[in-house]
Amino acid sequence: MTETIEYDVVVLGAGPVGENVAERTRAAGLSTAVVESELVGGECSYWACMPSKALLRPAIARADARRTPGLVQAVQGPLDARAVLAHRDEQVSHWKDDGQVTWLDGTGARLYRGQGRLDGPRRVTVTGSDGEVQVLTARHAVAVSTGTRAVVPDLPGVADAKPWTSRDATSADRVPGRLVVIGGGVVGVEMATAWQALGSQVTLLVRGDRLLPRMEPFAGELVADALREAGADVRMGTSATSVVRDGATVTVTLDDGERIEGDEVLFATGRAPRTDDLGLDTIGLAPGSWLTVDDSCQVEGHSWLYAVGDVNRRALLTHQGKYQARIAGAAIAARAQGVPLLETDRWGAHAATADHAAVPQVVFTDPEAAAVGLSLAEAEAAGHRVRAVDYDLASVAGSGLFVDGYRGRARMIVDLDREILLGVTFVGPGVGELLHSATVAVAGEVPIDRLWHAVPAYPTISEVWLRLLETYRG
């Protein structure tokens, strides 16, 4: 007979989101089990944030150095691809999770290795690699933190072509001579930037009319210009209709009949929730569906079930998932102790309000693109009376000291009725480090007349804040 083991909380998924839920519930004194079928640390640690930034950092540093007097001649050669890939391997701990397991053990949570599935309310089965099944039950909550997987479109020939997904692109052990990237979102542009810099001849195919469609239009325009200058072939308004691999060559046929050959093809065409084999049908939910939650990350209609991170589709970003985990952990602990939540308190510890109004994101291309809050189009669609205030970052004193020939742009979206910022976008070298100031302004709803007294240091790129405010005030 299979033994049933009871915990206060069971967490499905040991990525950074699941780890943070477990840490918060353990800190509150709740016994917690964590179930993981792959590596503790999840997608971000081994196949997304960490390896992608390890690949991108040398590309960006070299680009900046080539625009810096005194360094130009010293950095004209190619990147040492072998060294870059070796550094990437170190950053992902060579795809071993010993360190993450030690950290998780230190929280007092119990780790179960295997495929976790719901088996009715508050009940989880864990099937290990040896086929052994363990049954866990949760007194208070089950938190689903299983994240997402890459989606590859069902094109003719794609199954036999062995295309790359984001995991392959961040973990590859060699530089392909020719790489075809399909998709103009974050994964597509970051991987195009990285592999072009490492020596691939990249062709980037985009179905729409611009890159980074969820950002301000100028973000995609500046990134596309830079990719072309780096040697990439960037094509808008085109779609793949079939993919065929013949030995070492993969051929992508486009909707106009043209054929493009490469050594590898990367599909960066979206994500789907990892809920298809999660047992959702045992609790009346559709397998493979996104899980809809309230601001405490509780799943609608299930008082014991939480969905945290990418799986709830609120904001597919690691930092937002970790933020949600802190909220969900606090909410689970409060409800377990019978403490009522102040669900209507927008500043409370139990409501993930930042998912609605102040989501920050940095795209680590050259130039970087960083944004928080609403774009102009989003603000107008939401019915706000707004004004977009733009400024050329090249006109800021600090930008010319950062690199020669600095190119970039800044925009803030002002709510004209309340005179607060609804969104901010920066594009240019080094702008990722400007983003948190914008996030504070948007999340804190800091009035424009108070921002006027937040004096930026001279001469830094952050002086763009002064110039934006001057432009607004006329």
Side-chain angles (χ1 to χ4, degrees):
M1 183 179 220
T2 302
E3 178 186 7
T4 299
I5 308 171
E6 189 176 54
Y7 291 89
D8 290 322
V9 181
V10 177
V11 179
L12 291 171
V17 175
E19 288 176 326
N20 273 265
V21 173
E23 180 186 35
R24 293 296 163 132
T25 55
R26 283 297 303 132
L30 301 178
S31 60
T32 302
V34 181
V35 183
E36 177 54 56
S37 61
E38 294 186 299
L39 296 176
V40 175
E43 197 81 10
C44 176
S45 298
Y46 305 103
W47 298 287
C49 318
M50 298 303 291
S52 67
K53 302 316 168 280
L55 293 174
L56 285 159
R57 179 57 191 156
I60 295 170
R62 182 181 65 170
D64 287 344
R66 285 178 170 177
R67 296 187 288 259
T68 303
L71 285 175
V72 177
Q73 296 304 318
V75 290
Q76 288 306 307
L79 291 175
D80 184 340
R82 181 178 296 181
V84 173
L85 297 180
H87 177 65
R88 184 271 320 273
D89 293 351
E90 291 176 4
Q91 290 299 306
V92 299
S93 302
H94 299 274
W95 290 276
K96 296 179 180 178
D97 63 1
D98 300 21
Q100 298 275 33
V101 171
T102 298
W103 178 89
L104 187 61
D105 287 343
T107 69
R110 170 69 188 277
L111 173 63
Y112 288 84
R113 299 271 194 181
Q115 178 63 51
R117 296 180 181 85
L118 293 165
D119 187 28
R122 294 186 174 86
R123 181 180 168 94
V124 173
T125 63
V126 183
T127 305
S129 58
D130 58 0
E132 181 182 350
V133 178
Q134 294 177 291
V135 179
L136 313 178
T137 60
R139 296 185 190 92
H140 300 296
V142 174
V144 177
S145 304
T146 50
T148 59
R149 58 177 173 79
V151 173
V152 176
D154 188 20
L155 297 178
V158 76
D160 295 327
K162 299 178 181 178
W164 277 7
T165 66
S166 55
R167 283 195 172 194
D168 303 290
T170 58
S171 63
D173 59 4
R174 62 178 180 81
V175 179
R178 301 164 299 172
L179 174 63
V180 181
V181 180
I182 300 176
V186 176
V187 173
V189 297
E190 286 193 344
M191 290 299 94
T193 298
W195 289 106
Q196 180 71 33
L198 285 166
S200 292
Q201 174 54 56
V202 170
T203 301
L204 179 59
L205 305 177
V206 184
R207 183 170 55 184
D209 59 359
R210 61 188 173 97
L211 303 182
L212 301 173
R214 295 187 178 182
M215 286 187 163
E216 298 284 6
F218 64 81
E221 292 166 5
L222 287 167
V223 171
D225 289 346
L227 279 169
R228 291 187 175 108
E229 289 175 10
D233 180 3
V234 181
R235 306 189 187 191
M236 307 295 181
T238 186
S239 298
T241 58
S242 68
V243 182
V244 175
R245 180 175 288 280
D246 182 10
T249 300
V250 60
T251 302
V252 179
T253 301
L254 306 184
D255 49 7
D256 63 0
E258 182 181 357
R259 295 182 178 182
I260 297 176
E261 291 187 349
D263 300 293
E264 302 290 350
V265 56
L266 163 63
F267 280 93
T269 48
R271 311 286 298 180
R274 294 182 63 186
T275 60
D276 48 320
D277 191 23
L278 198 62
L280 291 183
D281 54 308
T282 69
I283 58 170
L285 297 174
S289 63
W290 300 95
L291 298 176
T292 304
V293 298
D294 64 15
D295 281 350
S296 71
C297 295
Q298 190 177 82
V299 176
E300 291 182 354
H302 298 78
S303 62
W304 56 273
L305 184 63
Y306 293 74
V308 193
D310 286 5
V311 75
N312 64 33
R313 209 181 191 179
R314 287 164 70 100
L316 275 65
L317 297 160
T318 297
H319 47 271
Q320 289 299 123
K322 292 167 71 173
Y323 161 72
Q324 292 173 15
R326 297 190 290 271
I327 298 294
I332 291 169
R335 286 174 172 140
Q337 296 161 8
V339 177
L341 304 191
L342 299 177
E343 307 249 12
T344 58
D345 176 9
R346 64 189 306 187
W347 305 113
H350 306 128
T353 56
D355 289 343
H356 305 299
V359 175
Q361 181 176 20
V362 180
V363 184
F364 292 87
T365 45
D366 172 37
E368 291 179 346
V372 62
L374 303 179
S375 67
L376 175 60
E378 290 169 336
E380 290 177 337
H384 298 288
R385 193 171 69 91
V386 296
R387 175 185 166 192
V389 181
D390 294 306
Y391 200 80
D392 180 1
L393 273 167
S395 298
V396 176
S399 66
L401 295 170
F402 192 83
V403 292
D404 262 3
Y406 192 105
R407 285 184 290 176
R409 186 171 171 186
R411 167 174 286 181
M412 67 181 190
I413 306 300
V414 180
D415 183 322
L416 296 174
D417 295 318
R418 293 188 291 164
E419 286 218 309
I420 61 171
L421 302 186
L422 297 180
V424 181
T425 299
F426 302 114
V427 182
V431 297
E433 298 302 333
L434 290 178
L435 188 60
H436 193 60
S437 59
T439 302
V440 171
V442 173
E445 298 185 350
V446 181
I448 291 286
D449 61 1
R450 290 305 305 152
L451 284 176
W452 183 252
H453 298 284
V455 182
Y458 181 87
T460 66
I461 302 174
S462 63
E463 195 183 31
V464 69
W465 279 109
L466 171 60
R467 304 309 172 199
L468 285 167
L469 293 169
E470 287 177 334
T471 302
Y472 174 68
R473 293 179 68 162

